């Protein structure tokens, strides 16, 4: 039985405040989790409130309904109480940031009571055999860095790695190889919000460099590495002119040209993964691209689906994609995230569990990815708040959580 829920403001990786929750149980169980935060957020995401307000609202409306009432191990009950306490569809009262922090902290407290690792509490005793392949952000721009690539993320995908440890180190090696190649070209570079290099180069140059970096590391490690993209196209879409604006390249593409461009990129670079290649309101264009690409790559909806089963169901109806990005804070609870994964799986869609650009050292998503047996986890390549998840995957594989 939950006996206390404590909420506080802590720092995230961008230096912004975010919500951290502690859940304590009668039998001495303890769980702590923190909400991440997006920069290129989808229009239809659950609402993140300023942390101070979200904490005050959750203390007033949600905490009294949980304490002495709910069992931390009963995730559906905890999350249903959070929803009822909020009373809106989008967590605009207590904030999705308070909701997700409490939801994840309750899960950890539930696991603690059981004495089981979190992935096992969430996924069952037979989980922990399969590991997701980490998608590592090695070059990026968009909303995550000024004056860098238009495409938000270039993601290394070590698809042939024999184990998660080798996969994690392969992505770090690609990240390092990109740095060397940039230096050879005399291009200075800092890093963006997710730790990817954020040089002032156009997308075409980024493709050349990432392609070469991947090949170099592939030769070194001896297994297949491919790469993918998060285009985050909603951020470059201009609804008035109905065009995608590639500002650093000075190119403007209408929807048909965008579909052709992405399909050509999949072909030319053998991309394994393309997230949000089109605007978040354009299900039809998504469907057209998914049809053209014909399962050569995962076409993934992030801003399109926002981890929301209603939006996913709409997408499934028209064949808008073949995979969904899962971000618990986009929807507010672990229950909602699980429901989205279940609906995806039942309809032949893959799920990819993901971090946000603003993160903390919280590693819940590593456990979520193992618990749900997803093929990929997107959680960066380097940087403490990213390696928190990657290192947790290594620990889970080593049975050391
Ligand atoms: P965000 O970006 O966390 O800033 O929304 C990540 C993504 O678009 O996948
Ligand atoms: Zn995205």
């Amino acid at each position: 039985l939950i006996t206390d829920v404590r909420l506080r403001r802590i720092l995230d990786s961008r230096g912004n405040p975010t919500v951290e929750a502690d859940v304590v149980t009668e039998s001495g169980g303890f769980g702590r989790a923190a909400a991440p935060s997006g920069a290129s957020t989808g229009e239809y995401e659950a609402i993140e409130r300023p942390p101070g307000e979200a904490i005050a609202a959750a203390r007033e409306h949600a905490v009294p309904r949980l304490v002495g009432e709910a069992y931390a191990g009963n995730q559906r009950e905890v999350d249903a109480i959070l929803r009822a306490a909020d009373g809106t569809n989008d967590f605009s009262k207590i904030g999705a940031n308070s909701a997700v922090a409490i939801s994840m902290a309750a899960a950890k407290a539930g696991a603690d009571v059981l004495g089981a690792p979190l992935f096992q509490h969430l996924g069952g005793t037979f989980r922990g055999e399969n590991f997701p392949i980490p998608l590592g952000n090695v070059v990026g721009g968009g909303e995550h860095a000024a004056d860098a690539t238009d495409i938000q993320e270039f993601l290394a995908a070590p698809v042939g790695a024999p184990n998660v440890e080798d996969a994690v180190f392969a992505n770090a090696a690609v990240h390092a190889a990109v740095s060397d190649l940039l230096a050879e070209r005399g291009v200075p570079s800092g890093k963006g919000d997710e730790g990817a290099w954020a040089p002032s180069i156009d997308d075409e140059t980024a493709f050349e460099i990432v392609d070469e970096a991947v090949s170099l590391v592939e030769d070194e490690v001896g297994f297949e590495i491919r790469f993918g993209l998060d285009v985050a196209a909603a951020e470059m879409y201009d609804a008035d002119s109905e065009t995608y604006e590639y500002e650093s390249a000075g190119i403007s593409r209408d929807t048909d040209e965008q579909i052709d461009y992405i399909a050509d990129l999949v072909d030319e670079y053998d991309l394994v993964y393309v997230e949000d290649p089109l605007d978040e309101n354009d299900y039809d264009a998504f469907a057209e691209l998914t049809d053209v690409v014909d399962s050569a790559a995962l076409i993934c909806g992030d801003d399109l689906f926002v981890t929301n089963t209603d939006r996913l169901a709409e997408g499934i109806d028209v064949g808008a994609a073949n995979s969904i990005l899962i971000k618990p804070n986009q929807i507010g609870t672990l229950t909602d995230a699980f429901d989205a994964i279940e609906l995806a799986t039942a309809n032949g869609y893959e799920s990819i569990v993901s971090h946000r650009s603003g993160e903390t050292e919280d590693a819940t998503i590593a456990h979520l990815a193992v618990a749900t047996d997803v093929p990929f986890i997107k959680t960066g390549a380097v940087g403490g708040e990213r390696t928190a998840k990657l290192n947790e995957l290594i620990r889970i594989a080593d049975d050391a959580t």
Side-chain angles (χ1 to χ4, degrees):
L1 199 68
I2 293 175
T3 52
D4 198 10
V5 178
R6 297 188 59 184
L7 298 164
R8 65 182 68 82
R9 286 184 349 139
I10 63 164
L11 278 172
D12 80 3
S13 55
R14 275 193 280 256
N16 295 328
T18 189
V19 179
E20 180 171 82
D22 291 354
V23 169
V24 182
T25 77
E26 200 172 12
S27 57
F30 177 80
R32 172 174 290 162
S37 175
S40 72
T41 48
E43 192 180 335
Y44 303 100
E45 293 193 21
I47 304 299
E48 175 188 316
R49 294 194 63 189
E53 293 173 23
I55 288 170
R59 278 182 186 145
E60 184 184 344
H61 302 291
V63 174
R65 292 189 186 219
L66 290 165
V67 171
E69 302 290 335
Y71 286 90
N74 188 345
Q75 194 68 39
R76 283 203 183 269
E77 186 191 15
V78 168
D79 291 343
I81 288 172
L82 289 170
R83 283 235 167 256
D86 181 84
T88 70
N89 277 332
D90 56 7
F91 277 114
S92 48
K93 190 146 126 193
I94 67 170
N97 38 350
S98 274
V100 81
I102 295 170
S103 179
M104 298 192 303
K108 290 187 184 176
D112 192 30
V113 169
L114 287 173
L118 179 58
F119 76 85
Q120 211 170 78
H121 168 48
L122 293 175
T125 193
F126 299 110
R127 293 298 191 202
E129 293 300 317
N130 300 329
F131 282 80
I133 292 164
L135 296 170
N137 193 348
V138 295
V139 174
E143 296 296 303
H144 294 167
D147 230 353
T149 55
D150 291 314
I151 289 177
Q152 182 178 283
E153 300 166 25
F154 290 76
L155 301 156
V159 294
N163 56 59
V164 75
E165 181 187 339
D166 287 354
V168 165
F169 281 94
N171 283 351
V174 175
H175 188 271
V178 165
S179 175
D180 293 345
L181 293 171
L182 287 168
E184 271 174 31
R185 293 178 184 229
V187 180
S189 183
K191 292 179 197 167
D193 285 354
E194 294 182 350
W197 299 109
S200 187
I201 56 176
D202 60 17
D203 292 356
E204 205 182 319
T205 310
F207 275 104
E208 275 172 31
I209 289 174
V210 174
D211 198 36
E212 191 179 343
V214 161
S215 298
L216 287 170
V217 176
E218 214 173 28
D219 289 346
E220 222 172 89
V221 297
F223 54 76
E224 187 184 11
I225 306 175
R226 286 162 71 185
F227 70 102
L229 309 171
D230 181 2
V231 183
E235 303 294 341
M236 52 172 88
Y237 187 66
D238 181 335
D240 293 327
S241 58
E242 300 186 346
T243 51
Y244 295 86
E245 297 299 323
Y246 290 75
E247 277 167 14
S248 67
I251 296 173
S252 175
R253 295 184 170 92
D254 68 19
T255 299
D256 286 339
E257 289 169 338
Q258 177 77 355
I259 292 170
D260 290 347
Y261 174 58
I262 301 292
D264 287 349
L265 289 174
V266 169
D267 236 24
E268 184 173 353
Y269 294 102
D270 193 23
L271 301 179
V272 68
Y273 177 81
V274 185
E275 180 181 325
D276 282 346
L278 292 146
D279 182 59
E280 62 201 330
N281 291 300
D282 203 343
Y283 283 92
D284 293 340
F286 258 94
E288 208 177 314
L289 176 68
T290 301
D291 194 45
V292 173
V293 167
D294 192 22
S295 70
L298 288 177
I299 303 297
C300 181
D302 168 18
D303 294 346
L304 179 70
F305 295 140
V306 292
T307 319
N308 181 315
T309 51
D310 292 339
R311 289 188 62 85
L312 175 60
E314 215 174 316
I316 288 166
D317 271 352
V318 298
N322 53 29
S323 53
I324 177 176
L325 205 69
I326 300 293
K327 293 169 166 170
N329 85 315
Q330 274 183 331
I331 190 70
T333 73
L334 282 177
T335 296
D336 292 296
F338 264 78
D339 288 349
I341 293 171
E342 265 184 20
L343 180 64
T345 305
N347 287 277
Y349 276 46
E350 301 286 7
S351 298
I352 296 93
V353 169
S354 173
H355 66 167
R356 302 305 306 249
S357 51
E359 270 293 344
T360 69
E361 54 276 32
D362 187 283
T364 305
I365 59 166
H367 287 267
L368 177 61
V370 175
T372 52
D373 203 10
V374 297
F376 292 104
I377 182 171
K378 192 172 88 154
T379 186
V382 299
E385 71 283 1
R386 317 293 150 187
T387 56
K389 286 74 161 167
L390 298 169
N391 289 337
E392 188 73 351
L393 286 171
I394 293 172
R395 291 183 204 108
I396 295 170
D398 195 34
D399 206 7
T401 55

